Amino acid sequence: MTDKPNFWLGMKKLVVVFPYGDEANYKAYRSAFDLLLNKSNVKEVKLIVVIPETLKKETFKPHVLIHFLSPKDMNFLGKIKDEYLKTILSEKYDALLWLEVEDKKIAKILSPLRANWKIGVNTSFDFFSIQVNCNSNNPSEIVNFAQNILEKIS
């Protein structure tokens, strides 16, 4: 019996969407992604951190892989004002990994993202290829759970 290569091992380009709950939650997600990506074949990753409207993007330290997104980044017609985000959305990805974000405005602008697989973890939106629930709210466990799902796709 031969094993088919799994999707996770072949993945080269990934975009991840996750929420900013607070500083500790954000750091926990970043640490989990560092560990995950160091053990992967992913060559290009974009992390989109969804921040509440009450926070200003300017207060966050810029990072080349991380883009902070707020509902304020859209005009009243729902169009994106952020040029860098438009660039991210115009590219094609192997997968979109969507973790815990429940903001309808954000979902509306990110759902058309071109990805071979769209995996939603702990979310209720219906535009995902695969939608699963993790029984934890610990960022490390959620990220590991998502990796296990990606490893099962062949």
Side-chain angles (χ1 to χ4, degrees):
M1 180 172 136
T2 61
D3 289 330
K4 292 182 183 177
N6 69 52
F7 180 69
W8 174 244
L9 292 176
M11 187 181 312
K12 302 291 183 217
K13 199 168 179 181
L14 173 67
V15 62
V16 180
V17 178
F18 66 97
Y20 179 91
D22 57 31
E23 187 65 25
N25 177 270
Y26 172 66
K27 286 182 178 180
Y29 265 118
R30 286 203 42 197
S31 295
F33 287 126
D34 283 343
L35 291 173
L36 174 79
L37 294 169
N38 285 337
K39 299 183 292 185
S40 76
N41 293 325
V42 174
K43 301 293 182 214
E44 185 179 338
V45 65
K46 303 280 193 233
L47 302 175
I48 299 175
V49 182
V50 179
I51 61 173
E53 286 187 30
T54 55
L55 297 177
K56 295 184 180 188
K57 287 173 37 171
E58 298 77 25
T59 61
F60 294 96
K61 184 178 177 184
H63 190 284
V64 68
L65 300 178
I66 301 172
H67 182 75
F68 295 95
L69 177 62
S70 167
K72 292 190 280 188
D73 290 329
M74 292 163 270
N75 65 23
F76 71 99
L77 296 174
K79 302 250 184 205
I80 304 165
K81 296 189 272 186
D82 186 317
E83 291 302 317
Y84 181 67
L85 183 60
K86 287 180 184 178
T87 302
I88 291 173
L89 295 176
S90 69
E91 296 178 22
K92 184 150 175 51
Y93 298 91
D94 293 322
L96 162 66
L97 186 55
W98 184 286
L99 308 174
E100 298 190 295
V101 175
E102 289 292 329
D103 188 299
K104 288 181 183 178
K105 287 181 180 178
I106 301 297
K108 184 176 180 178
I109 63 164
L110 294 181
S111 63
L113 186 114
R114 297 181 309 142
N116 294 338
W117 288 89
K118 294 180 180 179
I119 297 95
V121 179
N122 293 357
T123 185
S124 62
F125 299 118
D126 61 358
F127 61 87
F128 300 106
S129 314
I130 298 173
Q131 190 165 344
V132 293
N133 288 314
C134 177
N135 293 328
S136 175
N137 60 359
N138 178 316
S140 178
E141 291 177 17
I142 292 170
V143 170
N144 287 330
F145 180 78
Q147 177 188 357
N148 289 335
I149 297 300
L150 290 170
E151 288 175 343
K152 292 179 182 181
I153 301 170
S154 59

